Amino acid sequence: MKNYRLAVDENGSPFVLNSKGSIDFGYITEEMNLPAAPIRVAEGNERYGLLHMEQRHGEQIRDNGFSTALEFVEYVTINFDRIRQGNNDTCLLEVTGGNHNETLFVRLFQSEGYWKEISGGVFNLRYSKKKKEIYSGSDNRPLQPASDSEGLAPQ
């Protein structure tokens, strides 16, 4: 029997798995004018990651039809149609239109070989309107998250 350990971020926080069992929730491609790499979500703490999002934005996320912050992150990383420049070297993945009059966004920070989700929420359309657009469209990315067992790495 193989010995497995969870993959972790640079802070030692385990990555969470998407609904398909992978640590890769989506992808940024070169065509999006950013370094190509997978999007990953760490459990995090009160300052970043899934725990931060549940603590700071969980009620707001549920009020907009999502059961959990994890469901919200997966939705945004699959359906984003715009990337904008965020604050402090971050990028914002946005889902516009649909059933929302707000912007659904996930804030990403580039780490070693992947893009890390650090926060996210549902905000008024004015929140990012003046932020620089890096990418617009949805033709150059996979439509579904990865579906493999990358969440576990052999030891």
Side-chain angles (χ1 to χ4, degrees):
M1 177 184 264
K2 288 185 179 180
N3 223 352
Y4 288 94
R5 64 177 169 75
L6 289 176
V8 298
D9 72 4
E10 70 281 0
N11 299 315
S13 182
F15 290 115
V16 297
L17 302 177
N18 66 28
S19 63
K20 307 261 188 199
S22 173
I23 61 173
D24 295 338
F25 277 69
Y27 300 92
I28 301 295
T29 64
E30 289 179 7
E31 293 82 9
M32 295 173 187
N33 304 312
L34 292 166
I39 300 167
R40 296 181 177 165
V41 180
E43 282 183 8
N45 56 36
E46 67 279 350
R47 294 189 330 259
Y48 81 98
L50 195 58
L51 292 175
H52 163 82
M53 194 179 299
E54 272 295 346
Q55 289 174 358
R56 298 283 307 270
H57 307 288
E59 185 176 337
Q60 168 199 62
I61 287 168
R62 283 182 285 287
D63 286 348
N64 279 276
F66 298 94
S67 300
T68 64
L70 185 62
E71 179 185 310
F72 173 80
V73 170
E74 189 161 353
Y75 177 83
V76 173
T77 56
I78 291 170
N79 295 292
F80 71 91
D81 56 2
R82 185 172 294 140
I83 302 175
R84 292 189 186 267
Q85 183 67 50
N87 301 328
N88 302 324
D89 298 324
T90 65
C91 295
L92 305 176
L93 298 184
E94 294 184 324
V95 176
T96 58
N99 297 329
H100 300 275
N101 291 325
E102 299 88 8
T103 296
L104 306 178
F105 89 87
V106 171
R107 185 183 308 273
L108 301 177
F109 179 78
Q110 187 180 11
S111 197
E112 296 180 22
Y114 63 94
W115 287 91
K116 178 169 69 173
E117 173 273 328
I118 56 173
S119 188
V122 181
F123 290 86
N124 187 291
L125 291 171
R126 293 182 305 232
Y127 175 79
S128 64
K129 186 177 179 180
K130 294 184 180 180
K131 295 187 182 294
K132 178 183 174 188
E133 187 174 284
I134 297 171
Y135 167 80
S136 179
S138 60
D139 296 336
N140 298 321
R141 62 184 174 81
L143 297 177
Q144 298 296 320
S147 58
D148 59 29
S149 59
E150 289 181 20
L152 300 176
Q155 232 176 352

